[in-house]
Amino acid sequence: MSASQIRGFREVWLVDFEFQAPIGAHPTPVCMVAREWLTGTTIRLWKDDLEGRAYPPFSQRSDAVYVAYFASAEFSCHLALGWPLPANVLDLFVEFRTATNGLWLPHGVGILGALAYFGIPSLPIQTKEEMRALVMGGGPWSSAQEGQILDYCESDVIALEKLLPRMIGMIDVPRALHRGRYMKAVAVMESVGIPIDHELFDTLTGEWNSIKLELIREIDARYDIYEGTHFRRSAFERYLVNNDLRWPKLPTGNLDLKETTFKSMAKIYPELIPLKNLRNILAKMRLSRLPVGPDGRNRCLLSPFRSKTGRNQPSSSRFIFNCPSWQRGLIAPTEGRGLAYLDYAQQEFGIAAALSNDQRMQDVYRSEDPYVAFAKLANAVPQDATARSHPHERKQFKECQLGVQYGMGSATLAERIGQSRVEAENLLLIHHELFPDYWKWTQAVVDHSYLTGNIKTVFGWEFLVQDSTSSRTLQNFPMQANGAEILRLACCWLTECGVAVCAPVHDALLIEAPAGELRETVSQTRHLMERASAVVLDGFQLRTDAQIINYPNRFPISDEAGVWKQINGYLRTNASDCSHRRAPVPLINK
């Protein structure tokens, strides 16, 4: 991007808001400062002036561009005020992320980090924290404090004014505007939020200490590991010895009790799955940190473009889909409305087939079940086999297919499928023989990335390759990062045409609609999701699956359904207040 390109817009508005952010609720704008970059015209508005306006005090037409740092925050204020969103968006946070993705940044990727990266002086961190505390305090503010807050808001606009000319040479305008377009979609999705059964949520939060003890009493009865809520290492060692179970150890000689180790070992010893789930629940149950607004919606920052592949990276404790899976049973449509969960079928497999142009892999993806089709090609199952008739073989070939995209070796694959290393090596050899074009392509991707020092998606999201970058990262990047591009494009189209997208979830979307319009909305959503994949993958279209959740049902649970049943059984019997609008028993959709 050159200075002439930015000046191709008639107006370039640098914008920043200060706002309060109640937990789980829509923001409350406090003030706004906007400066037109070409003329220096500056607008400072306090909250009373903002609330009295139906439109922003600056142009949002196609010949103007809106510049911000983490623009979804500004757009959340637009939505709270009922203002329309601008036609063109240049988000310097997103462009700084893609320009430095893969580098170690000692000052982070916030606006202060970007200023430090370019050697531009900025407000001291302490001053910034003090001013944010003043804003979040909620007032009332004196006239002097109002002036201080407006000055603080303007300091971020001045920072944008200094950053823009330093970053111009890094920016590819069309792709940057596309990424800015997604930040509008993010603000809309964050505003919609995820509907939660608020009454049950409050009851669970209040009863959680008692529920923990009851879960331990029921699940630990067969293991005798816990003392109160404490996991006794010595008792677990005794259990392993008594049941002749081998377990990995740390260099110190102690048992390796990391979550990943427990997950792997539970696949080898299925009898440990309930204990593994219990440890996971007790460690991660933080309902008190889940932000649920007064309207019963889980809202948090979706943190777009935070991962190296450009995927969203919301908080593990504030975004319900990142919490233990049984908590998803709290997701429920309100009366008269319905939800649908739509995801891409075998997205990473399909992307690998498309980008590598491996025709056999593409044919396998287009089959009714790609993993069974893979097993058939390998002559591991009869030609009339199905997922129902050969679940064990399907699982093995699924793990193999997914594993190769992460550069998984035979030792790890053997552990994942519960077979010998020889069997795992044979599976990998079969994959090499059946899909040679894929393997040539993936090796070329790795080689090219090391030679050029970068790797990019179809739409230009970039990762800078370092000497320490593993080949596995590079092998997996095209599938993950282009998968993110597909979902971003779908989110843009869907939010722009009025579909209520509650949240993006990796390669899936949760949407909401009036009950009578849900099936039509699902059809529209699937069409746009599949169309987005065809745009990114040069005509190759990914399939989508949909689960519909009608009132009074809840989000379906699979992995930890037993835990959900136990918790609800406890509530039905013991909770002091179970007067929910829905009984706690039929929470798991069959």
Side-chain angles (χ1 to χ4, degrees):
M1 182 177 189
S2 65
S4 62
Q5 284 179 302
I6 195 71
R7 290 190 173 92
F9 292 102
R10 293 187 63 180
E11 298 179 37
V12 180
W13 285 97
L14 316 174
V15 185
D16 187 68
F17 279 82
E18 296 305 321
F19 56 90
Q20 295 169 288
I23 294 175
H26 299 293
T28 303
V30 172
C31 68
M32 183 212 73
V33 176
R35 177 171 297 172
E36 207 286 303
W37 190 57
L38 303 175
T39 64
T41 300
T42 301
I43 302 169
R44 291 164 49 114
L45 295 177
W46 189 249
K47 57 184 301 185
D48 297 335
D49 298 317
L50 293 173
E51 292 166 358
R53 289 180 167 271
Y55 295 93
F58 45 78
S59 174
Q60 299 199 113
R61 299 188 306 266
S62 60
D63 60 355
V65 63
Y66 187 114
V67 182
Y69 203 92
F70 209 81
S72 57
E74 273 58 56
F75 298 147
S76 69
C77 292
H78 277 243
L79 296 172
L81 293 166
W83 290 2
L85 300 179
N88 299 305
V89 181
L90 178 60
D91 191 324
L92 296 189
F93 160 75
V94 179
E95 298 315 301
F96 182 65
R97 276 287 296 121
T98 191
T100 59
N101 189 23
L103 300 181
W104 180 70
L105 300 173
H107 301 287
V109 296
I111 192 166
L112 295 184
L115 291 168
Y117 180 85
F118 290 105
I120 301 171
S122 63
L123 284 178
I125 293 177
Q126 183 178 351
T127 301
K128 199 167 182 68
E129 290 176 348
E130 289 172 354
M131 292 307 302
R132 283 300 297 154
L134 178 61
V135 172
M136 296 303 289
W141 298 280
S142 66
S143 296
Q145 287 175 324
E146 289 181 9
Q148 289 175 341
I149 292 171
L150 278 164
D151 289 344
Y152 166 63
C153 186
E154 187 170 355
S155 72
D156 278 347
V157 172
I158 293 170
L160 291 172
E161 191 175 31
K162 293 177 179 178
L163 274 175
L164 184 55
R166 299 294 294 273
M167 293 182 63
I168 279 177
M170 300 177 166
I171 298 172
D172 178 338
V173 176
R175 288 169 169 172
L177 294 179
H178 172 65
R179 289 187 280 266
R181 180 186 184 186
Y182 178 64
M183 297 302 275
K184 293 190 289 183
V186 167
V188 173
M189 293 185 291
E190 289 178 348
S191 178
V192 173
I194 302 168
I196 301 294
D197 185 337
H198 207 172
E199 294 175 69
L200 182 55
F201 171 78
D202 288 343
T203 300
L204 279 174
T205 302
E207 297 283 342
W208 181 237
N209 286 334
S210 299
I211 291 171
K212 282 196 296 187
L213 293 173
E214 180 63 17
L215 286 174
I216 292 170
R217 187 189 68 78
E218 289 193 22
I219 297 173
D220 191 46
R222 62 186 290 190
Y223 305 106
D224 192 25
I225 305 296
Y226 280 84
E227 182 175 337
T229 59
H230 176 65
F231 183 91
R232 295 180 298 160
R233 185 189 302 269
S234 59
F236 185 56
E237 289 176 340
R238 185 166 56 251
Y239 174 86
L240 294 174
V241 171
N242 292 342
N243 291 274
D244 195 25
L245 305 181
R246 296 182 180 181
W247 197 270
K249 292 188 176 182
L250 300 170
T252 60
N254 292 328
L255 295 177
D256 183 351
L257 298 178
K258 293 193 296 290
E259 180 185 346
T260 52
T261 304
F262 244 96
K263 185 176 180 179
S264 298
M265 297 307 292
K267 290 181 179 179
I268 300 173
Y269 307 128
E271 63 268 32
L272 292 179
I273 290 175
L275 183 62
K276 182 262 296 183
N277 288 342
L278 178 62
R279 280 171 52 86
N280 188 44
I281 291 162
L282 297 180
K284 294 184 177 180
M285 171 61 177
R286 302 185 184 95
L287 274 180
S288 60
R289 295 182 61 185
L290 190 71
V292 178
D295 60 350
R297 300 267 166 165
N298 170 221
R299 293 187 182 90
C300 70
L301 286 178
L302 292 175
S303 298
F305 298 101
R306 283 285 185 174
S307 77
K308 67 179 67 173
T309 60
R311 288 196 186 273
N312 303 323
Q313 206 168 60
S315 165
S316 60
S317 61
R318 298 176 65 80
F319 183 58
I320 194 165
F321 281 99
N322 284 350
C323 296
S325 63
W326 68 266
Q327 292 184 31
R328 298 178 187 183
L330 289 167
I331 301 171
T334 54
E335 190 168 3
R337 298 184 69 79
L339 298 171
Y341 185 78
L342 302 100
D343 66 335
Y344 286 102
Q346 295 90 30
Q347 186 197 57
E348 292 159 22
F349 185 105
I351 293 172
L355 295 179
S356 66
N357 200 30
D358 189 305
Q359 295 301 312
R360 178 176 283 167
M361 186 178 279
Q362 291 182 11
D363 290 341
V364 167
Y365 178 80
R366 292 188 180 105
S367 68
E368 184 176 347
D369 187 319
Y371 305 124
V372 173
F374 178 18
K376 289 177 182 178
L377 283 176
N379 294 318
V381 297
Q383 291 304 302
D384 60 352
T386 64
R388 183 183 294 273
S389 67
H390 290 76
H392 176 69
E393 290 82 358
R394 182 185 186 276
K395 181 179 185 300
Q396 288 190 332
F397 280 83
K398 176 181 178 180
E399 292 289 354
C400 176
Q401 177 55 52
L402 296 178
V404 297
Q405 291 162 198
Y406 289 88
M408 184 185 292
S410 58
T412 305
L413 179 59
E415 183 179 301
R416 295 285 292 270
I417 64 177
Q419 298 291 324
S420 69
R421 188 164 179 174
V422 172
E423 290 291 332
E425 288 174 350
N426 185 52
L427 267 179
L428 292 173
L429 179 61
I430 290 171
H431 195 283
H432 274 270
E433 292 174 346
L434 288 176
F435 308 117
D437 290 339
Y438 164 78
W439 284 99
K440 291 175 186 175
W441 168 79
T442 197
Q443 187 60 54
V445 166
V446 172
D447 292 344
H448 184 268
S449 301
Y450 280 130
L451 284 171
T452 61
N454 67 74
I455 184 171
K456 296 181 180 181
T457 65
V458 172
F459 288 169
W461 176 258
E462 184 173 9
F463 176 72
L464 302 176
V465 179
Q466 308 300 303
D467 291 341
S468 59
T469 303
S470 73
S471 60
R472 292 182 180 183
T473 296
L474 300 176
Q475 277 182 264
N476 192 41
F477 183 89
M479 278 66 78
Q480 295 295 334
N482 284 294
E485 295 282 19
I486 291 169
L487 200 68
R488 283 197 290 269
L489 181 57
C491 288
C492 290
W493 285 343
L494 288 163
T495 54
E496 288 165 5
C497 70
V499 173
V501 181
C502 301
V505 188
H506 192 68
D507 60 355
L509 295 174
L510 181 71
I511 67 165
E512 181 182 28
E517 302 172 12
L518 183 59
R519 292 195 177 276
E520 181 181 348
T521 305
V522 167
S523 177
Q524 178 187 20
T525 302
R526 294 185 70 169
H527 169 71
L528 291 177
M529 288 176 69
E530 291 168 5
R531 181 180 161 201
S533 70
V535 169
V536 175
L537 300 178
D538 195 24
F540 188 87
Q541 188 165 291
L542 302 179
R543 300 189 308 275
T544 57
D545 296 321
Q547 296 181 76
I548 291 178
I549 304 114
N550 291 308
Y551 180 87
N553 291 327
R554 300 173 181 272
F555 195 92
I557 306 169
S558 55
D559 293 348
E560 297 175 359
V563 174
W564 185 248
K565 277 185 176 179
Q566 288 172 312
I567 289 174
N568 280 280
Y570 171 84
L571 289 177
R572 188 176 67 251
T573 305
N574 301 290
S576 57
D577 179 15
C578 285
S579 57
H580 315 304
R581 67 177 186 273
R582 287 171 251 211
V585 181
L587 297 181
I588 302 168
N589 299 340
K590 300 297 184 182

